[in-house]
Each structure stands twice: as C-alpha cells, then as structure tokens.
Amino acid sequence: MKKLAIGDPEQNGATLPLKMLELRSVTLGSSGSGKTTGGRVLAEECYEQGVPFGVIDLKGDWWGLKSSADGKSAGIPVVIFGGDHADLPLDERGGAALAEIVVDIRQPFIIDLENLSRAKQCTFLADFFDRLYDVNREPLVLFCDEVDRYAPQKSMTAEAIKSLSATEDLAKRGRKHGIFPKFITQRNASLNKNVAELCDVAMVYRTSGPNDQEAVSNWFKTKATKDQLTSVMAVLAGLETGTAVVCSAHPSVRTFETIAFREPRTFDSSATPEIGRTVIKPKAMASADLDALRERMAATIERMKENDPKELQRRVKELEAAAKKAGGMPTEQQRALLEEARAARVAAEREVEQLRASIRDLRARLKNIRAHAVAIEEASALDGEEPKAAAPRTFFLNEQHESRGRKSAPAPIVHKMPAAKVVKAAPPAAVSSNGFQPNGSQQRVLDAIAWWASIGVPEPSRAAVGFVAKIKPTGGHFSNTVGPLNTHGLTFAPRDGFIALTPAGEGHANHPDTPPTLAEYHAAIRSILKTGASIKMFDAIVEHGPGEMTVAEVGEATNIDPTGGHFSNSIGPLGTLGIITRGAGMVRPTELLFPPHLS
C-alpha cells in the first residue's frame, strides 16, 4: 500500500496511508507552529503520488512550491493565479470561470488572493467553490489556508455569509465530486464549528491561547477517546515547531500519533523575515506550459462569457446602440442576435434566481424549525404542558374573512387575481399574550399582514408589511414594533425576512372584507418617502410601469439632472427600501414595487 512519507527520518520517519488524502481534515495551531510547512509537505506527497492538488492562499505563502528548498533548482511546476508571483493574472470577479479552468488543466495550482480585500476574497471563493463542486469529477486535494477568513464562526458581512455557505457545502458534499478539502487555520476559535466538526482528521500543532485550546478540545471530544483528549491537552501548549498530533477516528484510517514532520523539499516562502538575516531569493523556478494553458483558459473564459447574464446584457446594449447609430431599424441579422441574446440572458437569470431561491428556502425551513422549538418550550413553561402546534392554514383569494367590527379595507380590485398561495409551515404553538394589547404601530403591522393575506400572501416580506403599515421597513422602529408581537405570540417568522400571523394574531388583526388595489399599495409606500424629489422619482417609475428605465429617462421625467449629487441623494432611498435596483445606467423596479399578486 502506498504511504505518505511525512515524518522526519531522524525521528522514526512516520508515514500515513494514501487514503488519508481522501478524508476531510482540519489543521489547527498557533502562528509559527509549522502548519503551513506541514501543508507543503502534504502537497509534495500529493505531487509524488500523482494526485492533483490546489491551494487557496490568502497571504502569498505558498509560491515557494515552484523551487527547491535551497532555491537552486526547480520544484513543483505549479501554476500560480494572481499575487506577486503570478504565472497568470486573476480576475477578482472570475471565481466561477477559474474553477472551470483548474478542472480543465488538471495540474497543481495556487490561487493567490493576497492582493484582494477581505470582502473580494470571500466573494471570489464563494463563486469558485460553488462552481468547482458543479464541474469537478476527479480527485482533487484542496488546501484551504487561513480558512477562518472565509468560513468564520461569526459572519459579520454579506460576503462572509456567502463564502461560509459555499465552504460548508464543500465540506459536506465535496467528497462526492472528488474534492478533498484540507482546512488550515491559526485561529482555531474563529473557524466555523460546523466546518471543523465535519472533518474526519485533525492535525494539531502548538496552541497556547485558551479560546483556541477550547476549540481543539471540542473537536477531540467528538472524534477521540477521553484518554486521547487528556493526552493532547497536556502537551498542546509545548509542542515543538513542526510537530503535530494527528488523529483520525474514520473507519478506513484510524490513527492517533504525534508526528515530527520532515523538512519540506521545496522553498520556504512563508518564513518570517528575521533581523540581521539576508532573505534568500530562489534562482530556479519550475514552470508550466503557459502557452497551451492560455489557449485553454481563453476557451473556458469565452464559454463562461456566453452564459453570463451581465455579458449578455452588454451585447444587447451594443447591438441596440449600433442600430441606433445606423439611423434606422436594425437589420434582420441584428434582430436575430438581439432576440438570441435576450433569451439567453433571461434563461441565465432565471437559473440563477432558482438556485438562490432554493438556498433561501432551505435556510428558511431550518429557521422555522428552530422558532417552532423555541415557541413550544416557552408555551410549556407558561402553561405547564407541551401544547400542540397549530395546523397549517390554507388561504384562498376568494376567501371571505369574518368581520370583527373593525374598519374594512378599501374598494375591491377590478382585475383578475392570481392563484392563492398556501402557508408552507405551521406557525409556532400558541403562546399566552398575558393580556398584551398592541399599540397603534403594532396594530398597523397586524392589519398589514392581514391585508396581504386577503390576496393570498399569508407570509409577506417584512418590507412589504412595512409599506402597508406605513412604517419604514429598514429602520429600527420597525424591528422594535414587531419584537413584542413575536414575544407575545401574535406573529412569527416563517423564514428569514418574512412575517406571518399566528392564530392569536389573526384574532387581533383587522381583516379586510375586500381585496386591496395596487394603487393603494403604492400610496402606502409613497407616504414613507421623506423628500419631494424622492416622491417625484417614485411617481415617475410607477407611471412607467414594471419595465426598466434609463437614468436619463428618470431625470427627464422629474426634471432633475441625472449627473448631479441631488439625483443620487433623491433616488437613494428607493434603493434602500428595496423597491428599485440600479446599475449600468439603468433603474429597475423590483417585485416589491410591483408585486405579482397586485399586478
């Protein structure tokens, strides 16, 4: 059986079975403890065994793989994308395209993201990981250094949330498509626990911080025996540099041993500069066939462009501009190209939105399950027994709600209404409100949810509720208003960003006898806007209808210079509320401005 020769020959020369490369692993340890050096040793063994590997490098530490340890001869012919030692440039927006390229070339690679900001690193890797899973089908060992950056325990930005989701998916399902991740971090406590706990193997180097030691202990509690845990924690703070405790409880590779890793055969490009010591620069570097690689990259990039919605939109605009410049109707060929580009763009956008919707739905289901469990526990504490969850309620558009003696909604709409929607999940079990009575703002929120339910939308978005309740949905006032309604069991969150009534909440809400109109909905949104210029822009976009407008058209309709700061300041609130999006000189209404159920 083939072995990975990772141990120091002077200290038993420990080996690990080749099968270890197929297991998900996490390498933990303080800065300077030898983690990256150990990773390079494993990468060298991959190359020796003919196993393709790649490296995610956020600090420019891995380029030394291209040279020998003394820098005098060539090392591994690894292809470096990006960074200060790039063989080929890296497009910060090209994560998905690069995934197709590295799968196509089937040779060792390094993706050096040192020169990108934290947010751009996370965005790039989210796209790269997602696409890599889609297209890879052969073995690929992927070293993910500084993984706590893009798979953090606490995701504070939208970019970090996106990259965490993609990394976690890779850890969960990557093995199915031949992707074997090796996660490396010096901030054990900062690495997302879901990612760490999915790993079958741990390589633990010297760790001194109490929080980081606790993270090590948490991993060993689920993967090692009590005696092994005790022995690890006893030596953890004093392990020699380059020495790691290697543990695997996986049935195919069971091991628990302390290994002093051998010195790498490649150049140490991650070494910390030392005072009084001359920095050695390699004189020989291995190189790949970059000419052939560029040709293959060009083909892949072109293929990606053909299916990129932004690229398709650009082509449409170019053709339209060419036709306009020609001073007449477009030719038959131009019309055909226009239709082709528009159809492809629509199909691509639809596919992307379907994927995003699936992800949102899965997250919403998980959040609803958690909310349901919390509600049951609260009800048990109040009533002394575990209540039964309320049955799901189906809402129909022609359903006549019983009048409760309160004010009714405006006159009915005159156009045909779409089919009804069904509530996908039951609300939490009823919780006693202890005599709680909604105040004016809270009553408007309850009434607004009932307003939406009357047209078949029992789970409206928080923004949609805010518009009808005439409370700015992006401010703290809205959250402060809804909070007590949730606490007292009148509303609940069926999924992230949405709100619905519980049976108790339905009893407090004013249910309209007749469905509302789109005009009334727009009037509610209009009342939230603070400045006359913003209202003028809102009215112009509403009058234009659901289709997109150019910035120039909005400026012309409102008599506001589209190139000035006043225009940006006035249209900004519409984007903040989520009722429009802007880009490439265009203004596009969202579904929040023209809901399908009111169109």
Side-chain angles (χ1 to χ4, degrees):
M1 180 184 294
K2 293 182 179 180
K3 297 285 186 178
L4 305 173
I6 65 170
D8 186 341
E10 296 181 2
Q11 299 188 39
N12 300 326
T15 62
L16 290 173
L18 185 65
K19 189 74 173 177
M20 185 72 78
L21 293 178
E22 297 181 10
L23 303 183
R24 296 163 295 195
S25 73
V26 59
T27 298
L28 308 170
S30 301
S31 177
S33 61
K35 302 182 306 301
T36 302
T37 300
R40 282 169 45 223
V41 169
L42 282 175
E44 292 170 4
E45 290 299 311
C46 286
Y47 184 67
E48 290 293 327
Q49 302 290 349
V51 178
F53 73 88
V55 180
I56 305 300
D57 183 5
L58 302 192
K59 300 194 304 179
D61 284 344
W62 288 73
W63 60 267
L65 287 173
K66 292 174 73 74
S67 186
S68 62
D70 60 8
K72 296 180 180 180
S73 57
I76 299 173
V78 62
V79 181
I80 303 178
F81 298 93
D84 294 337
H85 299 84
D87 293 311
L88 294 165
L90 182 144
D91 180 0
E92 65 185 41
R93 298 165 297 179
L98 189 55
E100 293 209 2
I101 289 166
V102 299
V103 168
D104 189 37
I105 65 176
R106 302 306 301 174
Q107 59 181 291
F109 65 88
I110 296 172
I111 299 177
D112 187 336
L113 302 174
E114 183 181 19
N115 295 332
L116 298 187
S117 68
R118 179 189 294 262
K120 289 179 179 178
Q121 287 175 347
C122 290
T123 298
F124 181 94
L125 290 175
D127 294 340
F128 177 81
F129 290 154
D130 282 343
R131 191 58 181 161
L132 185 67
Y133 176 81
D134 290 339
V135 299
N136 189 77
R137 292 297 183 273
E138 297 182 31
L140 172 64
V141 177
L142 188 62
F143 295 92
C144 301
D145 206 355
E146 304 292 336
V147 65
D148 55 281
R149 168 70 61 85
Y150 43 94
Q153 177 59 24
K154 295 181 179 180
S155 302
M156 305 301 290
T157 65
E159 294 85 1
I161 292 171
K162 184 179 179 182
S163 62
L164 169 59
S165 176
T167 307
E168 189 173 357
D169 282 348
L170 201 69
K172 286 179 181 177
R173 305 177 181 88
R175 192 172 185 275
K176 176 184 177 183
H177 288 180
I179 306 168
F180 310 127
K182 310 296 178 189
F183 300 118
I184 304 171
T185 179
Q186 63 175 301
R187 295 305 312 275
N188 310 349
S190 298
L191 173 61
N192 186 270
K193 291 180 175 58
N194 291 337
V195 173
E197 291 175 358
L198 285 166
C199 294
D200 308 299
V201 182
M203 297 185 180
V204 184
Y205 291 78
R206 182 176 61 251
T207 303
S208 53
N211 291 334
D212 291 335
Q213 285 196 356
E214 182 181 0
V216 172
S217 176
N218 289 337
W219 190 93
F220 275 86
K221 283 178 182 177
T222 60
K223 304 292 196 306
T225 67
K226 185 176 181 180
D227 290 341
Q228 288 172 342
L229 171 60
T230 301
S231 65
V232 168
M233 301 311 295
V235 302
L236 193 56
L239 285 172
E240 295 289 337
T241 299
T243 297
V245 177
V246 180
C247 175
S248 171
H250 195 276
S252 61
V253 183
R254 296 184 187 275
T255 186
F256 182 85
E257 54 186 316
T258 302
I259 297 177
F261 276 65
R262 65 170 173 80
E263 289 294 322
R265 303 185 185 103
T266 52
F267 186 75
D268 185 5
S269 52
S270 64
T272 302
E274 298 180 12
I275 298 175
R277 185 174 180 179
T278 303
V279 177
I280 300 175
K281 295 183 178 180
K283 296 180 180 179
M285 304 278 279
S287 59
D289 184 358
L290 297 182
D291 289 336
L293 181 56
R294 287 189 184 96
E295 290 180 5
R296 299 172 83 172
M297 283 182 64
T300 302
I301 291 172
E302 189 61 33
R303 185 169 65 251
M304 292 291 292
K305 279 186 175 181
E306 289 175 357
N307 297 308
D308 182 1
K310 292 182 179 178
E311 178 66 17
L312 292 168
Q313 188 177 39
R314 184 190 65 79
R315 286 171 57 195
V316 169
K317 290 180 178 178
E318 283 184 353
L319 290 169
E320 289 173 339
K324 187 175 181 180
K325 187 175 180 180
M329 295 296 292
T331 65
E332 288 297 327
Q333 181 181 12
Q334 287 174 330
R335 276 196 292 268
L337 288 172
L338 277 169
E339 289 304 317
E340 179 186 353
R342 286 187 176 121
R345 181 181 67 183
V346 170
E349 289 175 343
R350 185 183 299 115
E351 182 178 353
V352 170
E353 185 54 38
Q354 287 174 347
L355 291 172
R356 288 174 178 167
S358 298
I359 293 171
R360 290 196 298 268
D361 185 57
L362 290 172
R363 288 176 177 168
R365 291 184 186 181
L366 177 60
K367 187 168 184 177
N368 189 45
I369 290 171
R370 289 172 177 166
H372 200 159
V374 170
I376 291 174
E377 290 177 3
E378 291 177 349
S380 299
L382 290 170
D383 301 335
E385 62 179 356
E386 183 173 338
K388 295 182 180 179
R393 179 183 177 191
T394 303
F395 292 79
F396 294 96
L397 295 178
N398 60 355
E399 179 180 354
Q400 295 298 315
H401 297 277
E402 178 184 356
S403 174
R404 291 169 172 77
R406 299 183 177 94
K407 58 184 179 181
S408 62
I413 58 175
V414 296
H415 55 274
K416 182 180 179 181
M417 298 300 295
K421 287 190 176 180
V422 178
V423 179
K424 296 179 181 177
V431 179
S432 173
S433 61
N434 294 323
F436 171 76
Q437 288 297 322
N439 62 27
S441 297
Q442 291 162 346
Q443 186 62 56
R444 294 206 308 275
V445 168
L446 297 175
D447 294 349
I449 302 172
W451 190 94
W452 281 106
S454 71
I455 58 166
V457 186
E459 298 175 1
S461 69
R462 290 168 64 93
V465 171
F467 296 154
V468 175
K470 299 183 180 180
I471 302 173
K472 187 177 180 180
T474 56
H477 178 44
F478 185 87
S479 296
N480 293 336
T481 300
V482 172
L485 298 178
N486 290 335
T487 301
H488 291 281
L490 301 183
T491 60
F492 74 106
R495 57 191 189 277
D496 192 23
F498 291 76
I499 187 170
L501 294 173
T502 65
E506 290 181 17
H508 282 78
N510 293 310
H511 293 257
D513 296 323
T514 55
T517 67
L518 181 62
E520 291 154 0
Y521 174 64
H522 285 158
I525 300 177
R526 196 176 189 274
S527 68
I528 294 173
L529 299 171
K530 301 298 184 184
T531 68
S534 294
I535 292 172
K536 286 171 66 177
M537 290 184 174
F538 174 81
D539 290 343
I541 295 168
V542 168
E543 183 178 354
H544 184 270
E548 63 184 14
M549 299 177 68
T550 66
V551 169
E553 288 172 337
V554 176
E556 183 179 355
T558 57
N559 199 28
I560 299 175
D561 181 6
T563 64
H566 180 46
F567 184 93
S568 296
N569 293 337
S570 301
I571 203 167
L574 307 188
T576 301
L577 290 174
I579 56 179
I580 65 162
T581 61
R582 296 175 61 194
M586 305 299 293
V587 176
R588 303 174 184 86
T590 68
E591 281 196 355
L592 269 177
L593 185 54
F594 293 100
H597 290 74
L598 289 174
S599 58

